[in-house]
C-alpha cells in the first residue's frame, strides 16, 4: 500500500478534535524528514490553524438563487456592479400568488435600492438607474413602473442539464457583506461573492460536494467583469472581514507556493476534513494559518 494511503487509513471524523490530533500524529514523520529542528513548531502551527474554526456542526441557512444560464449566456454579460445589483434584487424578490410563478421585486426604485445598500448619497440614484437599465437591456430584468420582474427560468428549468443549474446566495453571508461594507463598492463585493458561489457545488444529500474553494482569481474573472487584482482585492476583503472561513496552505511543489482555501462558515467541517486528507496525502505540506 502507498504511504499516503496507509496514512489516511481508518481516519474517522466522528470527533473532529481527535481527527485533527491523529492527523498531526500521522504527518509528524513527514515534517521531521523535511526539517527535524523546525518540525515541532510547524506541526504546532498546523494544529492551531486547523483548530481555529468553530467545528460544531451547523446547517446552512436560507438562500436566494440566480440561474447559471444568465451568467453563461454571452449575450447577457453585464458589468460587475450590475451583477452585484442583480444579487440585491434576487435576495429581495418574491413570488406573489398572482404572478404566475414570476419573481417580482415590488415597489422598488433606485432610492429603495440605495437604502438597502445603506447609502445616503442621493447622487448615486443615477448610477443605480443606469445599472437597472443595463440589466434590462440584457433581458435579465423588466421594469414595470416601480415593480421589477426578474426574467429567470423556473427553478425546475434552471436544474435542467442544458441550463447549468443555479447559484445559491446565502442570506447570512449576503447580510454580513451589507453590514460590513460601505459605499458603492458593496456591489463589486457582492459580484465577487456571486463568482465565488458560482464555483461551489452542493450536491443532494449523500452525494459528493465541492463546497471548498481554492484561491484563484481567474475563476472569478470568468463570472464578473473585474481586473485580476480587483477580483483578488475583493476576495481579500471577504476573508479579512470574516465573511467567509479560510485557511492558508503551503503546497507540495517545487515552489512551495501558498494558497487560500475559502468556504461558508457552515461548511468549515468539510474544509477541515479536506485539509487533513491533503496533509496525509502530501499534496499540502502544512497549514500556515
Amino acid at each position: 500500500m502507498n504511504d499516503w494511503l496507509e496514512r489516511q487509513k481508518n481516519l474517522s471524523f466522528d470527533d473532529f478534535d481527535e481527527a485533527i490530533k491523529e492527523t498531526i500524529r500521522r504527518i509528524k514523520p513527514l515534517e521531521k524528514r523535511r526539517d527535524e529542528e523546525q518540525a515541532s513548531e510547524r506541526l504546532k502551527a498546523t494544529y492551531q490553524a486547523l483548530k481555529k474554526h468553530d467545528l460544531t456542526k451547523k446547517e446552512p441557512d436560507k438562500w436566494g438563487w440566480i440561474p447559471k444560464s444568465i451568467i453563461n449566456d454571452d449575450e447577457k454579460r453585464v458589468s460587475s456592479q450590475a451583477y452585484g445589483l442583480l444579487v440585491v434584487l434576487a435576495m429581495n424578490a418574491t413570488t406573489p400568488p398572482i404572478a404566475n410563478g414570476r419573481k417580482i421585486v415590488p415597489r422598488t426604485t433606485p432610492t429603495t435600492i440605495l437604502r438597502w445598500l445603506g447609502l445616503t448619497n442621493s447622487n448615486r440614484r443615477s448610477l443605480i438607474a443606469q445599472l437597472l437599465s443595463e440589466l434590462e437591456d440584457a433581458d435579465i430584468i423588466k421594469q414595470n413602473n416601480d415593480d421589477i420582474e426578474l426574467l429567470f427560468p423556473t427553478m425546475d428549468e434552471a436544474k435542467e442539464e442544458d441550463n447549468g443549474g443555479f447559484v445559491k446566495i446565502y442570506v447570512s453571508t449576503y447580510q454580513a457583506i451589507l453590514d460590513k461594507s460601505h459605499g458603492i463598492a458593496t456591489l463589486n463585493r457582492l459580484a465577487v461573492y456571486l463568482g465565488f458561489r458560482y464555483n461551489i457545488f452542493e450536491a443532494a444529500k449523500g452525494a459528493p460536494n465541492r463546497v471548498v474553494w481554492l484561491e484563484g482569481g481567474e475563476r472569478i474573472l470568468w463570472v464578473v467583469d473585474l481586473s485580476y487584482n480587483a477580483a483578488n482585492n475583493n476576495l481579500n476583503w471577504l476573508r479579512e472581514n470574516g465573511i467567509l472561513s479560510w485557511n492558508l496552505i503551503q503546497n507540495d511543489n517545487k515552489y512551495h507556493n501558498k494558497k487560500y482555501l475559502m468556504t461558508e462558515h457552515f461548511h468549515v467541517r468539510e474544509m477541515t476534513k479536506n485539509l487533513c486528507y491533503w496533509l496525509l496525502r502530501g499534496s499540502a505540506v502544512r497549514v500556515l494559518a
Side-chain angles (χ1 to χ4, degrees):
M1 182 180 289
N2 293 336
D3 287 348
W4 67 268
L5 286 173
E6 185 64 33
R7 285 193 296 270
Q8 287 187 183
K9 190 176 179 181
N10 299 327
L11 182 65
S12 170
F13 285 90
D14 292 338
D15 183 324
F16 267 78
D17 186 52
E18 288 302 317
I20 291 170
K21 289 177 181 177
E22 180 63 16
T23 298
I24 298 298
R25 185 187 71 78
R26 294 185 186 187
I27 65 172
K28 186 175 181 179
L30 293 176
E31 279 289 21
K32 293 187 77 170
R33 283 202 298 269
R34 294 181 187 117
D35 190 324
E36 187 159 2
E37 288 186 3
Q38 297 190 58
S40 179
E41 284 301 312
R42 287 173 170 175
L43 288 166
K44 181 180 178 182
T46 291
Y47 176 76
Q48 290 174 339
L50 290 172
K51 286 282 293 177
K52 74 176 183 176
H53 303 293
D54 176 5
L55 293 169
T56 307
K57 187 173 183 179
K58 304 177 190 69
E59 294 298 327
D61 63 2
K62 295 178 180 179
W63 45 271
W65 61 282
I66 292 175
K68 285 188 174 181
S69 57
I70 284 177
I71 299 170
N72 295 341
D73 188 340
D74 288 340
E75 294 184 359
K76 294 184 183 294
R77 303 297 288 173
V78 292
S79 65
S80 62
Q81 288 186 333
Y83 277 127
L85 179 55
L86 182 61
V87 172
V88 174
L89 296 175
M91 296 305 282
N92 286 278
T94 63
T95 306
I98 61 172
N100 295 321
R102 294 175 296 135
K103 294 179 72 68
I104 305 292
V105 193
R107 297 181 296 282
T108 301
T109 66
T111 301
T112 310
I113 294 168
L114 288 176
R115 188 172 67 250
W116 289 339
L117 294 172
L119 294 172
T120 57
N121 185 351
S122 60
N123 293 332
R124 292 296 192 178
R125 281 200 302 263
S126 60
L127 173 61
I128 299 299
Q130 176 186 328
L131 294 174
L132 288 171
S133 294
E134 184 179 350
L135 290 169
E136 188 164 39
D137 290 345
D139 291 326
I140 296 173
I141 67 170
K142 181 179 179 181
Q143 299 183 80
N144 302 306
N145 297 320
D146 284 347
D147 291 346
I148 298 173
E149 180 183 352
L150 306 186
L151 302 178
F152 288 3
T154 66
M155 184 171 286
D156 285 341
E157 290 169 341
K159 288 178 181 178
E160 292 176 3
E161 186 174 353
D162 290 346
N163 290 326
F166 57 90
V167 182
K168 285 184 180 180
I169 305 295
Y170 281 101
V171 170
S172 58
T173 310
Y174 167 79
Q175 192 59 54
I177 293 171
L178 293 188
D179 290 344
K180 295 190 177 183
S181 183
H182 305 286
I184 211 69
T186 302
L187 293 176
N188 280 336
R189 288 163 183 162
L190 289 170
V192 168
Y193 176 59
L194 172 66
F196 164 80
R197 290 297 315 170
Y198 182 93
N199 288 284
I200 297 296
F201 176 70
E202 295 179 44
K205 190 172 183 180
N209 277 333
R210 190 179 69 239
V211 296
V212 178
W213 189 77
L214 184 63
E215 177 190 33
E218 63 279 355
R219 287 192 288 167
I220 297 290
L221 300 184
W222 192 88
V223 180
V224 299
D225 180 26
L226 286 171
S227 70
Y228 182 85
N229 286 339
N232 276 325
N233 287 341
N234 281 288
L235 281 172
N236 291 342
W237 185 91
L238 293 175
R239 188 172 62 248
E240 291 167 1
N241 284 273
I243 307 298
L244 298 169
S245 293
W246 60 273
N247 282 107
L248 178 64
I249 64 168
Q250 187 170 11
N251 284 330
D252 184 24
N253 55 35
K254 65 180 181 179
Y255 304 109
H256 279 190
N257 56 323
K258 301 171 185 177
K259 286 283 187 180
Y260 283 99
L261 277 73
M262 302 170 69
T263 194
E264 302 279 2
H265 295 317
F266 41 79
H267 287 145
V268 75
R269 287 161 66 96
E270 286 87 346
M271 182 167 70
T272 302
K273 186 183 295 188
N274 284 351
L275 283 169
C276 288
Y277 282 130
W278 290 0
L279 288 166
L280 293 166
R281 257 198 325 261
S283 51
V285 175
R286 59 189 62 94
V287 186
L288 301 171

